[in-house]
Amino acid sequence: NAGVTQTPKFRILKIGQSMTLQCAQDMNHNYMYWYRQDPGMGLKLIYYSVGAGITDKGEVPNGYNVSRSTTEDFPLRLELAAPSQTSVYFCASRRGGVGTGELFFGEGSRLTVL
Amino acid sequence: DQQVKQNSPSLSVQEGRISILNCDYTNSMFDYFLWYKKYPAEGPTFLISISSIKDKNEDGRFTVFLNKSAKHLSLHIVPSQPGDSAVYFCAASGNYGQNFVFGPGTRLSVLP
């Protein structure tokens, strides 16, 4: 059972380049999330989705876009990479329902923008 | 404005003793709390949760206490083991758990 799978694990981008971080889950979870973690900081929510076709902004959405065309996939798009987007990105999913259910995280994608 | 605070960046404990990790929150709408453990180069893994209708939840060596009036929760690990050495994150949710706010983490080192 794969759980939450993120690709790529590592990537170096030049300023102004674009890329997509892929996230897939095989647990049929309704809720999916993208977080970023900067050194010495907690996880900051970028975007989340409560189901296919529904997305919403989190705390730090600027510079990112998401889509949720299927239950399984929740890609994160960086359009014009900036050094401030150097971070470790975590995708997570959750079954959903009122007030219960923990987040299941992927292993993370480390992105460096030079 | 940090809604979830973990004021101790690090904590060292001797093997076999109790580890106590603290977390404070400011948003009175939070009603569901979780603790996560994170090893280097891995994603966070779930440890234990507590709903605001309870003040204590136990799972093996891990116990979480919630003091709603003080907006404070703590994670107790007894006995501590070297494998518990990791970064621990506290997370909180309101609005029926749609999204979660994480604290900055506490690095626990359990010394043999």
Side-chain angles (χ1 to χ4, degrees), chain A residues 13 18 21 63 65 67 78 91 96:
Chain A
L13 279 182
S18 300
L21 298 176
N65 276 303
S67 59
L78 287 74
C91 179

Side-chain angles (χ1 to χ4, degrees), chain A residues 31 33 35 37 40-45 48 50 57 59 90 94 97-108 110, chain B residues 1-2 31-32 34 36 38 41-46 49 51 87 89 91 95-105:
Chain A
Y31 289 58
Y33 305 79
Y35 286 90
Q37 185 189 14
M41 306 290 286
L43 287 82
K44 302 283 189 186
L45 181 64
Y48 68 101
V50 300
K57 295 178 181 179
E59 187 181 354
F90 290 99
R94 178 170 163 265
V98 174
T100 60
E102 70 267 25
L103 297 168
F104 292 82
F105 283 87
E107 293 187 342
R110 183 177 294 275
Chain B
D1 178 32
Q2 261 191 330
D31 55 12
Y32 185 53
L34 305 94
Y36 278 82
K38 186 182 180 304
E42 294 185 10
T45 54
F46 171 74
S49 64
S51 152
V87 177
F89 292 100
N95 68 321
Y96 305 111
Q98 269 199 332
N99 55 56
F100 294 82
V101 179
F102 282 77

Side-chain angles (χ1 to χ4, degrees), chain B residues 3-99:
Chain B
Q3 297 188 71
V4 178
K5 303 175 185 180
Q6 294 177 256
N7 291 323
S8 298
S10 62
L11 174 69
S12 291
V13 170
Q14 210 68 34
E15 181 178 5
R17 306 294 291 269
I18 185 171
S19 295
I20 300 176
L21 296 98
N22 293 304
C23 176
D24 297 288
Y25 60 96
T26 57
N27 190 337
S28 57
M29 299 301 291
F30 287 150
D31 55 12
Y32 185 53
F33 305 89
L34 305 94
W35 283 94
Y36 278 82
K37 177 168 72 174
K38 186 182 180 304
Y39 293 119
E42 294 185 10
T45 54
F46 171 74
L47 267 179
I48 192 168
S49 64
I50 188 165
S51 152
S52 59
I53 62 173
K54 293 186 173 183
D55 54 19
K56 178 182 173 181
N57 190 25
E58 278 183 271
D59 185 0
R61 296 186 297 115
F62 302 93
T63 303
V64 56
F65 296 91
L66 175 62
N67 182 332
K68 289 185 290 293
S69 60
K71 295 191 180 68
H72 176 83
L73 62 157
S74 61
L75 174 69
H76 293 210
I77 307 173
V78 184
S80 302
Q81 299 173 354
D84 296 329
S85 297
V87 177
Y88 289 77
F89 292 100
C90 170
S93 171
N95 68 321
Y96 305 111
Q98 269 199 332
N99 55 56

